[in-house]
Amino acid sequence: MTQSTKAPTVNPMEAGGPTATKPTKEAAKREAVQYRYQLAQHLVERRPDGWYFAKTWSMVAGEKPMWLGPYDLPQDVCIAIARSQCAELSNRHHAQASFHKVKPGDPLYGLPVTPKMTAPPKRGGQS
């Protein structure tokens, strides 16, 4: 029997290879980051008056289900779940983009530009 040993893997950044350059603060801030999100799972239930759904919960943690419904068709439940997932994903990504200082217009931003919701300034006058 022969005994084989594997050479330890060496990170080229640690080994001082040709790609070993120290990133600047700006480059580290703008470095491409993988954004992954595990979204909540849902449970769907058919009752006599329609379809209901809730996010999964943990009884051990003392959580209780929040059932939403009734919906007439399974397709309506799927659309409601999709809207819920979209809101959750958008909120999480917006928080991450804000943390990493990714602004609208940047390819990593990936969200629609939020409209300005300010009221026009009031002009003088009698009330």
Side-chain angles (χ1 to χ4, degrees), residues 10 20 32 51 68 71 74 86 99 105 108-109:
V10 178
W51 292 90
L68 299 172
Y71 292 93
C86 183
F99 177 78
L108 285 175
Y109 189 69

Side-chain angles (χ1 to χ4, degrees), residues 40 42-44 53-54 71 76-86:
H42 292 82
L43 181 66
V44 178
F53 79 95
Y71 292 93
D76 296 336
V77 175
C78 291
I79 291 169
I81 291 171
R83 287 182 176 157
S84 170
Q85 296 272 318
C86 183

Side-chain angles (χ1 to χ4, degrees), residues 6-67:
K6 291 184 179 179
T9 57
V10 178
N11 183 351
M13 295 298 282
E14 293 172 0
T19 59
T21 58
K22 188 161 188 151
T24 63
K25 285 184 179 181
E26 183 64 28
K29 181 173 66 171
R30 301 289 299 154
E31 186 176 312
V33 178
Q34 260 189 341
Y35 295 106
R36 287 188 183 168
Y37 307 98
Q38 181 175 354
L39 302 176
Q41 296 177 349
H42 292 82
L43 181 66
V44 178
E45 187 175 281
R46 174 69 176 150
R47 297 180 187 171
D49 60 336
W51 292 90
Y52 290 79
F53 79 95
K55 285 185 181 180
T56 54
W57 65 94
S58 172
M59 293 179 70
V60 175
E63 297 174 352
K64 293 187 177 184
M66 187 178 82
W67 292 99

